[in-house]
Amino acid sequence: DFDSKKKRKVAEIYQALNSDPIDVAALRRMAISEGGLLTDEIRCKVWPKLLSVNTDDLPPLPGKELREDNKDYQQVLLDVRRSLRRFPPGMPDDQREGLQEELIDIILHILQRNPQLHYYQGYHDIVVTFLLVVGDRLATALVEKLSTHHLRDFMDPTMDNTKHILNYLMPIIDQVNPEVHDFMQSAEVGTIFALSWLITWFGHVLSDFRHVVRLYDFFLACHPLMPIYFAAVIVLYREQEVLDCECDMASVHHLLSQIPQDLPYETLISRAGDLFVQFPPSELAREAAQQQAERTAASTFKDFELASVQQRPDTVLRQRFRERLRGEERTKSILTKPRTNRFVKLAVMGLTVALGAAALAVVKSALEWAPKFELQIFP
């Protein structure tokens, strides 16, 4: 029964919040598992814990003086003015306009406090999600932490690190479905179709706010690379559409850039978590890397982890995946479609990782990052 399951989950979330110390590992499990955190009221309490933000010491609200002589103000203003669709339909104009003003101030405040961060178009799509869920003051603190960790690669002066993250997409697809991978390679479609998905955490491309915040629950509880795994499972879910498409760049790009709104989100979230465990970033990086990176969000994720208490999303995912493997022998055939001896070998290696034999590689995946791949998708 849905209502009874929901009540049990709410009780478990509040039990984790009220424990001493707060059981952040349990909160991560709740955010990842079916339904996520359920309500915005709960998100206001749990999101700060997932980001290790002290809600008792929030920064003061920014003042309007931030707009004077600010190099980003005009671009932020233009983007925020274009963000009408990100607000709930039917919201009174004066209320929406007030929120847009708050949105501008939050963004400028974070940029002023962190001069190493550079604004990018799409950043406001993430900030507005937090603003609508938790309000301006808490949103400022949460997005600032997020910007200096999970989103940092997107906020570099160049797009180099963003390109490198996008380059993980094709290796993930190749591990699961070489046929789709080879088709996309033949079409020379690249991965630009997924750029807006990645840099806005899908906030820009999904019209239903419920789906957006459900994904934010998931991403906040996981490794910084989880959005690219979710992008991969969307492509894999659309396997037949892709293979039925004309094998040319324009046709495949057009198909993939039009993201369906009726996706089975819970199923895809589960698959993304499973694939992260089965094919962790460290394994993909070793296959495709040309050199090690030193300046990416994933490379500093361990520091972020150490600053948090009991925050181990990789462990949560491994435990859940292990339980699934015990109950479903067919998981191997679902997640992997062997076509060559090489691929069968990789599938077995992936399952070994999931079962814990290479757990160290999973835990250290945040530190083993490759900024450059042989697969070049940008000129």
Side-chain angles (χ1 to χ4, degrees), residues 161-178:
N161 284 336
T162 303
K163 298 173 192 175
H164 307 323
I165 297 171
L166 277 170
N167 277 334
Y168 266 72
L169 182 65
M170 296 303 287
I172 298 168
I173 293 171
D174 189 32
Q175 299 287 15
V176 182
N177 193 322

Side-chain angles (χ1 to χ4, degrees), residues 322-340:
R322 214 176 284 135
E323 291 168 1
R324 176 172 299 180
L325 284 175
R326 291 195 192 104
E328 298 182 20
E329 284 295 322
R330 68 179 183 279
T331 300
K332 179 177 175 182
S333 63
I334 291 173
L335 289 179
T336 58
K337 300 183 179 181
R339 192 180 62 166
T340 65

Side-chain angles (χ1 to χ4, degrees), residues 165-170 172-173 176 180 184 191-199 201-202 205 215 218-219 224-239 242 256-257 259-260 263 265 268-269 271-273 275:
I165 297 171
L166 277 170
N167 277 334
Y168 266 72
L169 182 65
M170 296 303 287
I172 298 168
I173 293 171
V176 182
V180 170
M184 292 174 66
T191 56
I192 264 299
F193 66 85
L195 177 63
S196 64
W197 305 358
L198 181 67
I199 65 175
W201 276 12
F202 296 84
V205 293
L215 287 181
F218 179 49
F219 296 152
L225 281 182
M226 191 55 77
I228 203 68
Y229 281 80
F230 191 78
V233 298
I234 290 178
V235 175
L236 292 164
Y237 172 74
R238 304 181 70 191
E239 169 191 359
V242 172
L256 291 175
S257 61
I259 190 169
L263 294 168
Y265 292 94
L268 297 184
I269 284 170
R271 288 180 183 173
L275 288 181

Side-chain angles (χ1 to χ4, degrees), residues 60 83 106 138 156 195 197-198 212 301 332 334:
S83 66
I106 292 171
L138 183 51
D156 277 351
L195 177 63
W197 305 358
L198 181 67
V212 175
F301 191 61
K332 179 177 175 182
I334 291 173

